[in-house]
């Protein structure tokens, strides 16, 4: 999967978050994760620790924010497939 596709998914996740009543702590976690993912894909860095962190955030989304969880799951899957 291309870096551009991951960026598209991250943008969709951000749009979903803007349209969802989400607590500030979770918004901050997602924002930090978004920034870290951009850094990793731009610099072709090792991604395993980032994937683990993304999965933790995703677990918090599963029941409360299913649409946002879906986008984050796609981002995680894309990062895994990239094999950075």
């Amino acid at each position: 999967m291309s870096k551009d596709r991951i960026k598209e998914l991250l943008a969709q996740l951000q749009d979903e978050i803007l349209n969802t009543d989400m607590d500030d702590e979770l918004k901050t976690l997602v924002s930090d994760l978004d920034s870290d993912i951009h850094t990793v894909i731009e610099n072709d860095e090792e991604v395993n620790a980032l994937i683990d962190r993304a999965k933790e955030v995703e677990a918090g989304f599963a029941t409360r924010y299913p649409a946002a969880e879906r986008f984050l799951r796609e981002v995680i899957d894309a990062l895994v497939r990239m094999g950075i």
Side-chain angles (χ1 to χ4, degrees):
M1 179 160 294
S2 73
K3 294 176 184 180
D4 289 335
R5 178 64 181 142
I6 293 173
K7 290 176 185 179
E8 288 173 22
L9 291 169
L10 289 170
Q12 290 173 332
L13 176 60
Q14 289 297 331
D15 288 343
E16 184 63 33
I17 289 169
L18 289 174
N19 295 316
T20 303
D21 185 26
M22 189 178 293
D23 62 68
D24 290 338
E25 181 181 359
L26 198 49
K27 285 182 180 180
T28 299
L29 283 172
V30 172
S31 178
D32 291 347
L33 185 62
D34 179 88
S35 176
D36 292 345
I37 290 171
H38 276 90
T39 299
V40 164
I41 63 175
E42 291 302 320
N43 298 312
D44 291 327
E45 295 176 3
E46 166 49 48
V47 74
N48 289 332
L50 184 59
I51 290 171
D52 291 340
R53 201 166 108 227
K55 287 179 180 179
E56 290 175 18
V57 173
E58 179 201 15
F61 279 13
T63 56
R64 294 170 40 201
Y65 312 107
E69 187 267 343
R70 180 176 53 89
F71 290 120
L72 186 53
R73 165 65 20 217
E74 288 184 49
V75 169
I76 292 167
D77 290 345
L79 289 169
V80 169
R81 284 193 300 273
M82 276 185 70
I84 295 174

